[in-house]
Amino acid sequence: MSSPLLGCIADDFTGATDIASMLVRNGMRTVQLIGVPGHHDEVPDADAIVIALKSRTAPVGQAVSESLAALAWLTAAGCRQFFQKYCSTFDSTELGNIGPVADALVAALGCGFALACPAFPANARSVYQGYLFVGALLLNESGMENHPLTPMTDANLVRVLGRQTDGNVGLVPFATVNRGANATRDAMTGLKERGNRYAIIDAITDDHLATIGEAAASHALLTGGSGIALGLPENFRRAGLLPARTSAGALPEVSGASAVLAGSCSRATLFQIGTAREQVPTLELDALETPNSAALAKQALEWVQGRLGTTPVVIAASANPERVAALQNKIGRVQAGELVERALADIAEGLVARGVRRLVVAGGETSGAVVTRLGVQRLRIGAEIDPGVPWTYAEGSGPPMLLALKSGNFGARDFFLKAFN
Ligand code: ADP
C-alpha cells in the first residue's frame, strides 16, 4: 500500500463527494472520510483522500481550526498536494469561510499563493473575466441570491474573495488560460511576485480545467470547485506516481429498500421533486405549517409504512423561496435550517431502521446532517449518476449501505428516478 497523493478538504459533504467523484472518473481510487479522523486511525488504501467537513456555514474560527486539523492529518498520511474544495457557486458569506480557510491553509503550508477557481462546465458553472455564471445567468441572478444560508449577491469573484481575506486577489483571464498551461503558469507566477495571495482563474471548458490542473502541478495548494481537479490525476501519472487504472470506482453490492430525502430548496431539486411526484410515492412536508422536527419526522415515518421497497419513496421538506423566507422570519434563519435538518436526520435514521439501504440525499447541509446522524465514517466512491453525484458505499457505526449525496443544484430533472435504475 502506497501513501495517498492528493489530500482534499471539503467544506460540505456533497462537495466532498463531488470532488471525489471527479478524481475517480479520472483514475484515482478515492475515499471520503467524514470529519477529521483520529491520529491513530488507519490511512485508507487510496490514491486520494477527501476529508468532508461541515464548515461552509460554521463560525469562521471553527471552520479554520477544523480545516487546519484536516490538513495536519492529510500531511501525516503522506499526501503531496492539497485541495481546498468549495462549491462551484462559491457559497459563502461576507465573513467567509472560503477566504479565512484559504488564508490559514496558505500560511500553514508556507506557499504564499493559491489559485481559486469554482468553474465546472459539465454543471454549467463558468468563470469569465472573474464573473461566475450559472448557465447563461450571472451567479447573483441564478437563484443563488435566494439561498437559505449563503445568499450570493455578487458574481465578481475577485471582489467576493477580496472581501473575505486581507490578501490581494488577482485575475488570470480567459485569454491567458486559452493559451495553455505555460501561459497560465507564468501568469500565476507573475501575480504571486506582484504580491497577490490569490488568483481567480477564468475557465469555460473542460480544456481550460485541464490546462489549469497542469499549470498547478507544482502548487502545494489549489482552491476551487471539483472542476479544476480534472487535470490533477494526469499530473501524478505524468510524474510516474499513479498507475493507469481501468476501474477506480467499483462498489460492493447492497440490497434493501430505496428512498430519497430532500432538504435542498435549490431550483434543480425543486424540479426533481416535481418530476418524481408524477411517478413515485412522494411526501412533501410543510415545515411552515408544522415547525417541529419531531412532528415532521413522525408524519414521514407513518407515511412510509407499507410503501418501502425497490421503488423509491421521496420525502421532501424543500419549499420555494417565499415559504423558506416565511419560516425564517417566523423562527430565524439558522433555526429554520436546523429544524428541517433535524427532521430529515430523524427520518433517515427511521428509514434505515426500516430496511432502507439505498438512499439519495439532496442538499449539502442536509447531507451533512443525515450522514452524521447515520454514523457514517467513510464513503468509497463509485460510479456517477449525474456529473458530481456518484453512488458511494458508506461504512460506519450502522449497516453498510449505498448513499448518493446530491448538491442541491446538481442532477438532471429525473435524477431521483434514474438513481435507482
Ligand atoms: P443546497 O445543497 O441546495 O444548498 P442545503 O441542504 O445545503 O441545500 O441547504 C438547504 C437549507 O435549507 C438546509 O439548511 C435546510 O434545512 C433548509 N430548508 C429546507 N427546507 C426548508 C424549508 N421548507 N424552510 C426553511 N428552510 C428549509
Side-chain angles (χ1 to χ4, degrees), residues 105-124:
L105 297 177
V106 166
L109 289 164
C111 55
F113 177 86
L115 66 82
C117 180
F120 194 175
N123 274 332

Side-chain angles (χ1 to χ4, degrees), residues 12 14 56 91 147-149 263-266 269 285 287-288 317-319 323-325 327-328 336-341 344 362-367 406-409:
D12 86 340
T14 50
R56 182 171 297 167
D91 297 19
H147 190 279
L149 304 172
S264 159
C265 302
S266 299
T269 302
L285 296 168
L288 185 58
S318 318
R323 292 188 74 79
V324 170
L327 182 63
Q328 292 181 336
E338 284 175 359
L339 183 151
V340 173
E341 287 171 36
L344 293 173
E365 296 294 330
T366 307
S367 293
K406 190 189 80 71
S407 175
N409 265 318

Side-chain angles (χ1 to χ4, degrees), residues 5-10 19 67-68 70-71 74-75 79-86 98-117 161 188 192 197-199 201 212-213 215-224 228 232 236:
L5 300 166
L6 182 68
C8 307
I9 303 163
I19 188 166
S67 302
L68 287 174
L71 178 68
L74 291 166
T75 306
C79 296
R80 295 159 181 255
Q81 189 174 42
F82 303 91
F83 195 118
Q84 177 193 352
K85 161 69 178 68
Y86 40 80
I98 294 174
V101 167
D103 286 344
L105 297 177
V106 166
L109 289 164
C111 55
F113 177 86
L115 66 82
C117 180
L161 182 55
M188 288 194 282
K192 183 181 178 189
R197 193 181 299 162
Y198 300 107
I201 306 201
I212 294 167
S218 65
H219 289 199
L221 175 70
L222 291 84
T223 87
I228 50 163
L232 301 181
F236 294 118

Side-chain angles (χ1 to χ4, degrees), residues 239-331:
L241 297 166
L242 178 69
R245 299 192 190 283
T246 45
S247 171
L251 297 183
E253 289 276 320
V254 176
S255 55
S258 304
V260 175
L261 279 178
S264 159
C265 302
S266 299
R267 279 183 200 173
T269 302
L270 297 178
F271 282 130
Q272 287 154 354
I273 295 165
T275 304
R277 194 192 293 129
E278 289 163 16
Q279 304 203 34
V280 295
T282 299
L283 173 69
E284 286 175 81
L285 296 168
D286 190 338
L288 185 58
E289 196 179 295
T290 312
N292 177 313
S293 51
L296 290 170
K298 186 161 174 283
Q299 273 176 24
L301 293 172
E302 282 171 7
W303 176 83
V304 295
Q305 264 185 353
R307 289 193 161 94
L308 292 176
T310 43
T311 301
V313 295
V314 176
I315 299 169
S318 318
N320 62 32
E322 293 74 41
R323 292 188 74 79
V324 170
L327 182 63
Q328 292 181 336
N329 289 337
K330 195 165 161 184
I331 64 170

